[in-house]
Structure formats: structure tokens, C-alpha cells
Amino acid sequence: MNHIQGFSPAAASALEKIAEEVSVCMQCGTCAGSCPTAPAMDYTPRALMRLLQAGLFDEALHSRTIWMCTTCYSCTVRCPRDIHVTDILGKLRGIAIAEGYAETAGMTFNKAFLGIVRRYGRMFEPELLIRYHLRQEPLGIVGAAPIGLALLQKGKISPLPERLPAEGLAQIRRIFEAVEARRKAAPARPHPMHEVSR
Amino acid sequence: MTPTHESEKPRIGVFVCYCGSNIAATVDVEKVAEYAATLPNVVFTQTNKYTCSDPGQEEIRKAIIEHKLNRVVIAACSPRMHEVTWRRLLQGTGLNPYLLQVANIREHVSWVHQDRGEATQKAKELVAAAVERVPLHEPLEPRQVKIAPSTLIVGGGIAGIQAALDIANAGYHVYLVEKQPSIGGNMAKLDKTFPTLDCAMCILAPKMVDAGRHENITLFSYSEVESVEGHVGQFRVRIKRKPRYVKEDVCTGCGLCTQACVLKDRILSEFEMGMGKRGAAYIPFPQAVPLKAVIDPEHCLLLTRGKCSMKCIKACGPGAIDFKQQEEFIEIEVGTIILATGFELYDMSALPQYGYGRYDNVVDGLQFERLCNASGPTEGRIVTKDGRVPEAIAFLHCIGSRDENTNPYCSQLCCMHTLKLAHLAREKTPARIYEFYIDLRAGGKGYEEFYKRVQHEGIHFIRGKGSEVVQDGDKLIVRAEDTLLGKVVEVPVDMVVLALGMVPPKDIENIARIFNINRSRDGFFMEAHPKLRPAETNVEGVFLAGACQGPKDIPATVAHASAAAAQALSLMSRGQATIEPIIAEVIAEKCSACGECIVACPFKAIRMDEEARHAYVVSAMCKGCGTCAAACPSKAIKMAHFTDQQLIAEIEGILGRMSEYELA
Amino acid sequence: MNPLRYAYYPGCSLTTSAKEYDRSVRAVFDALGVELLEIEGWNCCGATPASQNELLMYALSGRNLAWAEARGLDVVAPCSECFKNLNKTAQAVRADPAVRAEVNAVLGDVSLTGKVRVKHPLEVLVRDVGLEEIRRRVTRPLAGLKIAPYYGCLITRPRNEFDSPENPTAMDDLMAALGAEVVDYFPYKTRCCGGALLLSNKRIALGMTRDLVIKAHQRGANSMALACPMCDMMLDPYQGPALRAGEKPLPTFYFTQLIGLALGIDPDQLGFADRVVSPREVLAALS
């Protein structure tokens, strides 16, 4: 029995749970064959499950795969071993962010999105777009402008954020804080697999 | 046999088994024995390495005699394993065999617990329960019944045919009941058989003919079992014969009526798996046994609408057609029963992503088999629905097998079956052939060699489960991952063959109810023991043959069928059987004649004595399930060996020790 | 029969980019006598980014569900992403006491018992109102529309009790009940539009959207019915960028806009003017 090395205790704990779930993967590839973006991934979803089975968590978290998932759930619905592949990829995205992996476009998007939810309680698209483009592709905002203008004309973009009332906002912030506190406090469990490398 | 000292004060011997390390690894066997020695009425305790072995039994035998034991508790494996063995042991020493109680400290303790302290404690409690209970045991006398020298076989596929011939050839009578108009089952639909590539019909048809003509076999085709009463040795069976609307004794099987039928070639043929057509008057296939026409009441115009030109009647020279036929019921008595009800194909249309039932050229394994067969709808030419010779064919393994969304189990024969189909396709077409598989399971005599042969024939093996099939113009696109390359592939083909997933027949629940036998989690019938009693069931005298017990290929089916036949023969040649005395008894004085027990009894074994105003148990039919005793509001039913007092003592044994445990 | 009454969770998109979805849902439910009570002070469900932490997704969704549960109401959520998050939360909280305890601990001042159910408007219309009732109320049959019913991913996946994840039929049946011709859009009806990758992998996302439009044309559709704001983003404003020069655009509608039209509700109230791909030509064919 080993504990997963080289990660924060919270991440090690989350990875242990994931490893347990993927232990029954039989590598049939149904997930990859059902995935609309698998051809653009560095590891197919099936190969990613294999990395997790082999304890190669670092490779899994570095992979482009976790950021190429559209969360369409085709893999999850069809998995013959009832592995919740889509949800596992989602959790890996969270671990990659928390563990400070190199920022990808998808990571910028997720951080900006949740930051806005935390601030206003609701989405505010213009800020999301600006924050995303400032960090990822500043010129992209020019490309998005025509559609943005069209939507603005039709009243489909609001120029100002809609905030929850103060009491609601306080609740939302408490939720974020409590979730983060629990994530950090997750107890590490022994990892029932062979030698784990990072 | 006269019981010796069992009416005296109880003298209990407790024997605790190590079962090698099966029990001892988790339970401190010596501690359990030490503890047993402190219990009331226990005069002797001993531990054994293997209680079921010869030396183990010998020690118990000696102890019973030396220490004048009159009650025995054995703490070991499940009573389902060895209770009968140890009862025989008691009988050999002159003790009544029912003065034994088995405490299950293996399946209920060591195999399911990990903590040694807690497991040992639980084992002690179970031993205490047995020690409390066993003094209340009463000597019981088993009953002997005669075994009628005849067998009912349900299902006329290769399993039923094989078992019928084995038994009939041994000189016992067989009633073979088949619900279809002909025997032959699924094997009759096959073109060739793996791995030897024998023509299926060439090896099956002679057996079908033998079964049809055998002097010791009465064949009821197009018939179903309605009900079964009685017990081993004396089963009373009621059989429903569906009307064929053709007199079997007159019909010559000439087929003129099938040619004359106004619905000729208008109805999908079951035998051709919907790939070919038949009329309402039809003979299922040329080698049918019995070779008699049948009229399909769901389609025949006369039978559905009351109006038809009735060309069949005019066509039939001997005048065999009889629309006045009615259902008939026949009652027989048999000593033994063999169920050989086979399997059905998983309905792949429940998986829309493969397009079965939606795209013309997505077929299942048996449909493809019919396309390969010279007597099939295309006379053996493998062509698409619109008559094209396919340029590419994909075989998809494990559709409806090994899948939590459908059937979690492996259907066992589809790997080999699909390899064989690929081989036939290679023989008959110039098509590129793909096999999409997860694991190739080729365990069997000559199977791996066949796999290699098919590889050598230029078939493309792609290790990845077919994920979906999409129609694009004339082509079907199979999408999958080539997992060994880690690349998603999209392969255009003209035909897709989905490997057959085997499931229990739709009416299996009804059959299980009629014969009162158990089913395992996969839905198939459950054998008495997965290794050592594979052809027996929980009901004595009822045996299983073939795929009704779980997916099997032909060699395994035939072996299993012969095993079932041997079991039935062994009973019948012995001529008599012992049945358990553990049955219910109505205490007439307490009975209020309310009839609750009659409703509750699943075996129709309780009747009402209307004159004396009390219920009574027909002991030969009682299976000792105890349902009536629980249902009786007047506590007027005594379940032998499971009396209220015995059960309460057992519970007190556990609860008493529990409280001590909590105090400690 | 008691009048149908639900807690209504519009979600962020329905207040901005998908405002015609919001208007048409409200108008159609009102016309059918189904009462919607908007959840007071609702918050964002966290959408896809919240999937990085299950507990965060449950808690953000759960705060909204608690309002409904406290009032004994089930929840209607029209946005597929919101519906998926809210429904997953309700299912998890109902099925697993450990999850329930954890979610309630995080929520603090409100709590969930797991009684609340979450429905997509499609389910309410087909199951609770019933196709018969809707058919009876149609005053302006949609003859002339050849609709590709597009469900997207998240109404029936990962799992939902009311329709098949591989071949759902509720919207097909509903559009047929309105008198429209429904083209066979299997298997594309549940294919992903790529919306989740619009920012991070735009080229791939637009390719997926283009494929949907082309397949709908191939099947003979002259319009598409939608049930998700993200699919709408891809198939309306971004349909232009997705198509190549010379390729024919396909007008798309929220399915509730089409129901409203068939029920005789004033088109202005249903937000047809908000569509980017002009529906004028195909709607003209209607009358």
C-alpha cells in the first residue's frame, strides 16, 4: 500500500478515489470511440484511464485531453463498466488547477468563470470574455467583436453585471469557502495499487 | 433405526473446523472451541483440520461413541456443503441424523469478515446459537419414494435432443416437449460449427430424426408445459398442445399447402431470423421434425378475419387441414425432469447506437448465419439487403455482453462464433473483413488454433469495442478506438454483424415458477452447486441441460445434457429416492380452517378437510419451505426441524452472547 | 386535477443571450395554465467549470433547489447545462445520505432533504401537460416547417428517467403534435455542438456545429428546434462563422418558440426578432 507521492494531501486523496473508480476499466475504448473530440486529444479518454490505472497521475494532469472534453457524456452513458468518465475528467481539471499546473485556455476559462460566479452570484459574459482574452489571446477579442455587437444590439448581452442581493452574495462566498476548506481537509487514504510514479 | 440415547439429558459434542486456512486465517478456531466447552450441555469439544475429510469424520465418530454424545454441533462451512455428509456420519453411529446442527463460520464469518477479533466473536455467537438449539432437535425419519421410470424433457434443441437420446437408449421413456413446431433449436439455424467447420445440420439432423422416431421417445412439438405437481419420482405434468390446424397423423409433409397459402412469402420467418419469408401455412425448414405443416394463427386470414379462399385445404391431398382443432391438454406422470429451454438473442435494438433494426445491413450473428447457409434465404450468398456483394464487413464483438448497461456477463461463445462467421465471409466474398473486439476468448479444444487460422486468412483485427455505427449513403461507418494504437478509427463497410449476446428466454420466469427452481443473477437457471453439481437444481429430480443454465457452445451443451441425463438415469435405475422429513404438519385441534395456509403454499400442498374442518398437508408435495407456518394466524402449523421453539432458542443463543459481548 | 405549479430556475443565459427562450417558456406555460414561480435570488449553477469539484456543483445548485423544496415545489430548468447540474444534484442528494450531509454542511443556513425533483420543460410538456392537451390547443399548425429536433447532450445524459440518452423522442413527438413535419435526425439529434470549446478550441467547436447544420440539410430540414442556450449560441450567432462560403444557413428556434407559435401566441412576445439567422423566409412559408 502506497500513498500517492508528490501531490498535496487534498489532491492525493482525490486521485486515490479516482484511481479506485477506474480500476475496473477494461480498456475497451468505447469512450474514445464515442468521443467527438478524441481525435484531437493527446491521450484518448481510454488511454487517460490507463494512465490513471498505472498511477501516472502527473502525465494525466498534464494532458490536453482533460481540457478537450466537451462534457457531452457520450462516454459515460456507453461505458460498459459504468465508469463516470466525464465526471472524472472534470475532477482532474479541478486538481490540475489546484496543483498549479501550467495554465491552458480551458483553465483560464474555468478560473475566470468561477471567479465571476463567486463575485456576483451569477454569470457576466462580457467580463468573462475580457478576462479570458486578456490572458489567452488578446487579439481574439477583435474577432469576437462583430458577433458581440450583434448580440448587444439584440439586447442579448447586458453591459452591467446582475448581482445577487448582499445576503445571497454572502451565502455564495460562504459556499466557495466551505467547499475549499473541505477539499483541503480531505483525508488521505492508502492507495491500493502498485508503485506509483510521478 | 431406533434412536439410542437422544431422549436422555443432552450431551453435546462441538466440533470446530479449521478448513485448512479457510476459516482459521480469520477465526481463532481454538478460542471458539474453548468457549464452546463453557456452554451448557457441552460435554466434549474438538478442533479439526478438515471436518469433512475421512480422518475428520472418524474422530467425530469415535467421540460420539466414547463420550456418549446424543447431540452434535459442527462449526464449519455452509450446511449446503456438507450437512448431508455429517448426517450420514451420525446415522452410522446409530444417532438420528437430524440431531445435528451446523454453525456456518465460513461463508457467514471467515469469508466475509476481516477483523480477527470480531470474526472470532461472531463465530462464538453462532456456535452458542447452535448449542442452544440442538437439544430441542427431534429425531426425524426420512421418507422413501418410488421413482417412475420416465423423464420429461422441456426443450428440443441440441441439449434436449442429446439428453432424450441418452435416456431413451438406456431403456427409459422420455416425453420431449418443444414449444416450436419443430425440434432443432438454435443449432438448426447454424451453417457450420467451430472450430472443425462441420456442417451443423449434417450432424444435427440425424439426431433429430432419431429423436423423432425413437420407440422410447414421445415427442410433443408445438406444446408447452402448463403445470407440474408432485415431487421427485412422481411428478404429474400437464402439457398444453397448441392446435397446428393440421392433423399430424395425416399430414405427409409434402408442403403443397405452404405453396398454396395466399400469404405465401408474406410473413417473416422465425427460423430465418426474419431474413426470409414464409406463408401462414408453413413447414419451418426442410429438415423439420416432425415434418408436418403448421398454420400460424396470428396471420392466417381464416383464423384472424374469418375469411379466406382456403387454397390450402384444396391443395392438401390427404385432407390433413383441420381448422376446428382446439388446444388439447395431456397429463403424464414422470419420475424425473430435465429442463433444456436454451437461450435467446439479446435484443440489440435496445442499443440505438448500433442501428440494429434501423439500418438494413446491420444484422445479428444468427441472421448472418442464415445468409451463409445454402438453404437460407439467399441460398448461401452473402449479400446486402439490396443485393450487393459487400466490399467490407465489420464484426462487432460483445454487443449485449460484458456491459453493465445490458448484460454484465460474457456470453462465452460469441468470440469463436464471430471468428467462424468471419471465416465463412472470407470463403464466400472478396470483402475486407474487420473484427472489433475487446478480448478474444478462445479457450477450448482447437479454439486458439482456429483463431490463428482466421488471422492468417487476412482478417483485420482491431482491438477496441465498436462504439457506434452510422449510415452514410450506401456505407455504414463503424467508429471505434484502435486501442493498441490509441487512435480513433472510422471504418466504412457495407455490412455490420453484431456478435450474439445470449440471454434467458423471455418466458424463463414462468418456467422457473412452474418447476419451482431458482435463477442466478444473470437470469439463467441456477445449478445446485457451481462446480460439483452443475446439472442439478434446488429441486430434487429436476435437472438442467445446456444454455438454460448459462451461455454454452455446442460441445459444452452436449456434455452438460449428457450429465443431466446421467443424473436422471442414476435416480431412475436406483428406483427409489429418499426425501427430507423436514415438512409441515397441521395440528388439527388448533386449526380454525381459515385457509390462509392454502393460499400461502407455493406448492399447492395443503388441502382442507371440509368435514373435519381443518387443513392438512399432503406430505409428498410439501417442500418444507415454512411459508404456511409463518402465515398461520393460529400457530397451528408445525414445521419439522424449524419449530418456533428451535428458532427462538437459536436467537436467544445469539442475543444472550451478544449482551455479554457488549458488557465486556 | 390541481393546476400544475413549479419553481422556475431561469439560469444566467436566459436573462441575456437566451432571453427569447425565457420569454417563450413563460408564455407557453402561461397559455397552458402551468404556473411558474421564479426562485427568489437564484444563483448560477456553476455550469461546466463547477464540474471540477462535485461538492461545489452540488452546493451551488443545491442553494437554488432548497428554495423550491422548502415550498414543496419541483423545479423547472430550461437551460440544459443548468438542468443537468440541478438534476444531478437532486439525484445525488436523494440517493446518498453522505452526499446530502456534506451538501447541507456546506450550504449552512438552508438545507435539502432530497425530496425535490428537477424537470426540463420538455418533460413537463410531454409528460405532465400531455401531447393530447397540446394538440388540442394548437390553433396555427406548423405545416410547412420541416424540423430537425436537436436535443444536444445534456437533457438526456448522463441519465434521466424520461427519455433515451441515445435516441430521445420527446421533442420529435411534440413537434409532430404541432403539425410540423419532423425529419429523422438520429443520431445527430444528440451529438455535441462543441459549445463548451467555443473559446478554448474554436476551430474544433465550429466544425462540430457545421456538421450538425449540414446533416440537418441532408435530412431535408428547413429549420431546427433547440432546447439549450449553449447549442443556440453555436447554432444561431455562431452558425455564420461555422459555415463555409456558399453553405446555406439553417434557421433555428427554441422549441418553446415553436410551441408558442402553434398555440397562437403573438410572435413578438416569443422573441422571434431576436434570432440572428433570419427565420423570415421559413416562417413566411408557414402562413
Side-chain angles (χ1 to χ4, degrees):
Chain A
M1 295 271 188
N2 295 292
H3 286 277
I4 294 176
Q5 303 297 313
F7 293 95
S8 72
S13 166
L15 289 169
E16 277 153 9
K17 274 195 200 161
I18 290 170
E20 194 180 309
E21 187 180 346
V22 301
S23 62
V24 296
C25 170
M26 60 173 164
Q27 293 286 301
C28 68
T30 303
C31 47
S34 305
C35 176
T37 53
M41 293 171 172
D42 46 0
Y43 293 96
T44 65
R46 189 257 335 143
L48 193 83
M49 295 301 112
R50 186 70 199 136
L51 289 180
L52 298 172
Q53 284 183 323
L56 300 171
F57 301 112
D58 187 48
E59 279 86 336
L61 290 165
H62 270 302
S63 78
R64 188 170 144 79
T65 301
I66 58 176
W67 301 105
M68 289 300 301
C69 170
T70 67
T71 69
C72 76
Y73 283 92
S74 297
C75 51
T76 303
V77 166
R78 291 180 182 167
C79 175
R81 287 288 170 84
D82 200 20
I83 296 169
H84 296 192
V85 182
T86 313
D87 292 340
I88 287 174
L89 297 192
K91 288 172 194 166
L92 292 176
R93 288 191 290 272
I95 296 170
I97 292 175
E99 296 290 289
Y101 277 73
E103 186 148 327
T104 62
M107 200 186 279
T108 307
F109 179 81
N110 274 21
K111 283 175 163 177
F113 192 105
L114 291 177
I116 290 168
V117 173
R118 188 180 177 136
R119 253 191 316 285
Y120 308 127
R122 292 191 187 167
M123 190 28 53
F124 177 49
E125 284 95 349
E127 183 176 334
L128 176 66
L129 288 172
I130 290 165
R131 284 183 182 277
Y132 175 81
H133 282 295
L134 280 180
R135 183 125 190 125
Q136 284 297 331
E137 37 165 351
L139 290 178
I141 200 113
V142 181
I147 288 175
L149 279 175
L151 293 177
L152 197 64
Q153 268 174 358
K154 291 194 183 282
K156 290 184 150 194
I157 293 181
S158 80
L160 290 173
E162 195 172 341
R163 287 168 199 267
L164 291 198
E167 189 197 344
L169 271 185
Q171 279 176 340
I172 299 295
R173 278 184 201 144
R174 274 205 303 278
I175 287 174
F176 272 92
E177 281 158 15
V179 167
E180 184 57 14
R182 277 175 179 259
R183 189 189 69 78
K184 286 196 170 144
R189 305 176 311 161
H191 183 50
M193 300 200 330
H194 48 80
E195 192 64 30
V196 165
S197 57
R198 166 134 197 212
Chain B
M1 185 196 63
T2 344
T4 46
H5 26 246
E6 58 246 3
S7 52
E8 303 154 15
K9 190 179 181 313
R11 293 178 60 80
I12 305 174
V14 177
F15 301 86
V16 190
C17 186
Y18 273 71
C19 195
S21 62
N22 272 304
I23 294 171
T26 321
V27 171
D28 189 332
V29 171
E30 293 302 333
K31 283 257 168 62
V32 174
E34 279 166 31
Y35 167 77
T38 68
L39 296 171
N41 299 320
V42 174
V43 297
F44 180 79
T45 61
Q46 191 176 54
T47 57
N48 305 86
K49 197 84 181 158
Y50 289 105
T51 314
C52 56
S53 68
D54 253 2
Q57 292 197 44
E58 181 54 25
E59 292 203 30
I60 298 177
R61 203 185 62 80
K62 273 199 263 169
I64 290 173
I65 293 164
E66 271 174 33
H67 298 275
K68 296 192 168 55
L69 303 180
N70 58 13
R71 295 288 190 281
V72 174
V73 167
I74 297 178
C77 53
S78 163
R80 286 186 58 172
M81 253 341 262
H82 286 308
E83 192 173 44
V84 174
T85 314
W86 294 317
R87 279 186 186 159
R88 233 178 274 133
L89 166 67
L90 263 64
Q91 195 160 20
T93 67
L95 265 188
N96 184 285
Y98 292 89
L99 298 175
L100 163 79
Q101 179 67 10
V102 177
N104 180 359
I105 60 167
R106 195 177 74 172
E107 284 84 346
H108 285 181
V109 182
S110 65
W111 280 359
V112 290
H113 296 296
Q114 272 147 20
D115 184 285
R116 191 172 171 84
E118 286 180 343
T120 303
Q121 184 57 35
K122 183 171 173 186
K124 286 180 184 174
E125 283 158 15
L126 291 176
V127 168
V131 169
E132 288 286 330
R133 183 193 215 269
V134 80
L136 301 173
H137 281 201
E138 291 167 22
L140 301 171
E141 293 304 327
R143 298 165 293 158
Q144 298 294 319
V145 288
K146 282 189 65 178
I147 309 287
S150 55
T151 303
L152 165 73
I153 297 182
V154 187
I158 179 60
I161 292 170
Q162 179 70 33
L165 291 173
D166 285 354
I167 291 171
N169 287 338
Y172 293 87
H173 198 83
V174 172
Y175 299 94
L176 179 56
V177 177
E178 166 57 52
K179 71 177 171 186
Q180 299 295 332
S182 169
I183 57 172
N186 284 309
M187 184 176 168
K189 298 169 185 165
L190 305 181
D191 183 46
K192 299 215 167 123
T193 55
F194 61 79
T196 47
L197 299 172
D198 300 279
C199 151
M201 194 50 97
C202 309
I203 58 176
L204 177 64
K207 281 181 177 279
M208 291 168 64
V209 172
D210 282 356
R213 287 193 185 150
H214 205 291
E215 57 178 3
N216 284 339
I217 298 177
T218 307
L219 173 59
F220 294 116
S221 62
Y222 213 42
S223 303
E224 288 172 31
V225 173
E226 274 275 302
S227 64
V228 176
E229 286 185 2
H231 53 80
V232 57
Q234 291 146 32
F235 293 107
R236 273 193 311 285
V237 183
R238 189 172 150 89
I239 296 166
K240 177 170 85 181
R241 305 210 67 190
K242 296 179 277 188
R244 261 181 190 269
Y245 303 106
V246 171
K247 292 177 197 152
E248 257 189 58
D249 49 344
V250 179
C251 175
T252 63
C254 71
L256 288 177
C257 59
T258 68
Q259 297 299 318
C261 178
V262 293
L263 294 180
K264 179 175 186 274
D265 295 336
R266 302 271 291 277
I267 301 162
L268 292 178
S269 157
E270 297 83 356
F271 180 78
E272 298 293 357
M273 301 302 290
M275 302 299 278
K277 293 193 173 160
R278 59 167 173 85
Y282 68 104
I283 293 174
F285 52 100
Q287 302 87 343
V289 172
L291 189 63
K292 307 287 176 188
V294 57
I295 293 173
D296 170 2
E298 278 170 30
H299 291 94
C300 169
L301 295 179
L302 188 72
L303 291 169
T304 52
R305 298 185 204 167
K307 253 175 87 176
C308 179
S309 54
M310 288 186 272
K311 289 190 179 146
C312 56
I313 293 186
K314 287 167 210 141
C316 181
I321 293 175
D322 175 10
F323 282 106
K324 295 205 182 66
Q325 270 189 2
Q326 302 280 329
E327 273 180 2
E328 268 181 62
F329 292 91
I330 291 170
E331 298 221 354
I332 56 171
E333 189 172 287
V334 295
T336 54
I337 294 174
I338 294 175
L339 297 179
T341 49
F343 68 94
E344 281 177 11
L345 293 195
Y346 172 73
D347 177 10
M348 324 256 190
S349 61
L351 299 170
Q353 63 266 41
Y354 297 108
Y356 182 80
R358 169 178 283 268
Y359 306 136
D360 279 344
N361 295 312
V362 177
V363 298
D364 64 47
L366 279 188
Q367 289 177 323
F368 194 77
E369 197 80 59
R370 295 313 298 155
L371 288 183
C372 296
N373 192 284
S375 67
T378 56
E379 293 170 341
R381 284 175 304 117
I382 297 173
V383 288
T384 59
K385 184 110 178 232
D386 56 353
R388 287 177 293 128
V389 175
E391 290 168 8
I393 305 174
F395 292 89
L396 272 52
H397 288 234
C398 297
I399 312 301
S401 301
R402 303 184 70 192
D403 183 351
E404 295 292 333
N405 300 304
T406 59
N407 302 299
Y409 53 85
C410 169
S411 292
Q412 294 191 35
L413 59 78
C414 7
C415 274
M416 288 306 294
H417 179 243
T418 308
L419 287 177
K420 179 203 70 184
L421 293 180
H423 166 81
L424 295 180
R426 165 55 62 252
E427 249 182 9
K428 288 167 182 275
T429 72
R432 282 188 312 284
I433 298 169
Y434 300 91
E435 295 254 356
F436 290 88
Y437 69 99
I438 308 175
D439 301 294
L440 262 164
R441 297 185 168 177
K445 190 166 178 169
Y447 289 8
E448 183 69 19
E449 294 90 325
F450 187 76
Y451 172 22
K452 187 180 169 198
R453 171 181 172 172
V454 174
Q455 280 184 302
H456 196 70
E457 289 173 344
I459 278 137
H460 302 284
F461 285 83
I462 296 178
R463 194 209 167 274
K465 183 176 174 178
S467 300
E468 60 187 33
V469 176
V470 178
Q471 179 112 47
D472 185 12
D474 272 354
K475 294 288 179 187
L476 294 162
I477 313 293
V478 179
R479 196 169 194 267
E481 183 189 7
D482 183 329
T483 61
L484 300 179
L485 291 178
K487 286 193 162 53
V488 174
V489 293
E490 289 183 352
V491 181
V493 298
D494 303 284
M495 281 183 107
V496 170
V497 184
L498 305 177
L500 41 84
M502 294 168 86
V503 293
K506 278 174 215 68
D507 54 354
I508 193 162
E509 195 179 338
N510 191 37
I511 302 170
R513 194 182 47 76
I514 289 173
F515 294 93
N516 193 43
I517 57 171
N518 294 340
R519 293 162 67 198
S520 34
R521 251 172 73 176
D522 55 16
F524 292 98
F525 291 140
M526 183 137 92
E527 63 285 352
H529 188 280
K531 284 118 203 159
L532 302 178
R533 297 167 70 194
E536 294 164 72
T537 66
N538 57 312
V539 179
E540 216 186 338
V542 179
F543 306 99
L544 302 176
C548 66
Q549 180 260 349
K552 282 181 192 56
D553 60 11
I554 296 168
T557 294
V558 170
H560 196 230
S562 286
Q567 295 282 345
L569 284 171
S570 144
L571 255 182
M572 292 190 291
S573 72
R574 205 157 64 222
Q576 60 174 19
T578 307
I579 48 179
E580 282 266 14
I582 299 174
I583 57 171
E585 182 193 347
V586 177
I587 305 158
E589 312 83 73
K590 287 191 182 175
C591 176
S592 67
C594 71
E596 289 285 331
C597 53
I598 297 177
V599 179
C601 177
F603 307 100
K604 304 189 192 92
I606 309 185
R607 311 245 160 101
M608 187 65 72
D609 184 333
E610 293 294 346
E611 274 175 34
R613 300 296 299 152
H614 66 76
Y616 66 96
V617 177
V618 182
S619 59
M621 289 171 71
C622 176
K623 299 266 197 307
C625 70
T627 311
C628 56
C632 177
S634 321
K635 294 191 189 303
I637 295 183
K638 181 181 168 192
M639 236 338 280
H641 212 58
F642 289 90
T643 64
D644 286 355
Q645 291 81 354
Q646 289 167 351
L647 296 179
I648 289 167
E650 198 169 356
I651 294 166
E652 279 177 347
I654 292 175
L655 293 182
R657 307 309 142 192
M658 288 260 291
S659 56
E660 277 174 25
Y661 179 51
E662 278 158 18
L663 288 173
Chain C
M1 201 181 87
N2 286 332
L4 295 169
R5 200 154 170 260
Y6 296 96
Y8 181 57
Y9 178 80
C12 307
S13 296
L14 272 78
T15 64
T16 54
S17 68
K19 64 191 169 73
E20 66 268 46
Y21 195 12
D22 180 62
R23 290 174 72 184
S24 56
V25 167
R26 290 180 195 263
V28 165
F29 276 53
D30 187 49
L32 293 170
V34 184
E35 197 183 336
L36 295 179
L37 270 83
E38 183 167 334
I39 294 173
E40 271 173 63
W42 56 265
N43 59 276
C44 174
C45 70
T48 317
S51 67
Q52 66 186 45
N53 184 323
E54 221 155 46
L55 184 58
L56 179 65
M57 191 268 274
Y58 291 156
L60 288 174
S61 302
R63 181 177 169 272
N64 300 304
L65 297 180
W67 187 92
E69 203 181 76
R71 285 155 187 82
L73 296 173
D74 287 344
V75 176
V76 169
C79 165
S80 295
E81 184 73 48
C82 307
F83 167 72
K84 184 261 292 173
N85 279 357
L86 263 54
N87 191 37
K88 255 184 121 184
T89 302
Q91 287 176 343
V93 166
R94 188 156 57 237
D96 189 342
V99 169
R100 193 185 313 143
E102 224 185 339
V103 172
N104 285 336
V106 170
L107 285 177
D109 26 357
V110 290
S111 74
L112 283 169
T113 66
K115 232 179 66 199
V116 65
R117 307 237 160 205
V118 180
K119 293 182 175 184
H120 191 271
L122 203 49
E123 183 181 357
V124 175
L125 292 168
V126 172
R127 279 269 185 91
D128 301 350
V129 176
L131 288 174
E132 229 6 84
E133 175 69 6
I134 291 172
R135 201 174 288 126
R136 206 173 58 74
R137 301 245 200 160
V138 169
T139 58
R140 187 162 36 187
L142 302 185
L145 281 192
K146 295 176 187 168
I147 300 176
Y150 179 59
Y151 298 75
C153 311
L154 299 175
I155 299 179
T156 58
R157 292 195 295 258
R159 40 187 55 69
N160 186 303
E161 294 92 25
F162 97 100
D163 217 340
S164 153
E166 296 282 356
N167 185 17
T169 54
M171 210 197 302
D172 295 55
D173 300 341
L174 195 50
M175 293 298 114
L178 305 179
E181 186 183 324
V182 180
V183 307
D184 178 3
Y185 198 42
F186 176 88
Y188 308 102
K189 55 162 79 168
T190 55
R191 287 286 153 91
C192 178
C193 69
L197 302 182
L198 176 59
L199 282 183
S200 57
N201 287 282
K202 195 168 184 173
R203 195 181 49 79
I204 291 173
L206 292 180
M208 291 163 77
T209 296
R210 173 173 175 267
D211 204 40
L212 291 174
V213 174
I214 286 175
K215 294 294 193 243
H217 277 309
Q218 278 175 7
R219 298 289 173 99
N222 63 11
S223 54
M224 183 184 279
L226 307 172
C228 166
M230 201 62 229
C231 304
D232 169 66
M233 181 61 75
M234 298 304 288
L235 283 153
D236 193 35
Y238 276 93
Q239 192 187 127
L243 294 181
R244 292 177 192 163
E247 285 175 342
K248 199 174 149 198
L250 182 74
T252 62
F253 305 101
Y254 284 104
F255 79 104
T256 41
Q257 290 181 294
L258 295 171
I259 302 172
L261 197 62
L263 296 182
I265 299 170
D266 179 3
D268 288 344
Q269 214 188 317
L270 297 166
F272 281 99
D274 297 339
R275 305 307 294 165
V276 174
V277 175
S278 169
R280 201 166 303 138
E281 201 179 322
V282 65
L283 290 182
L286 254 186
S287 45

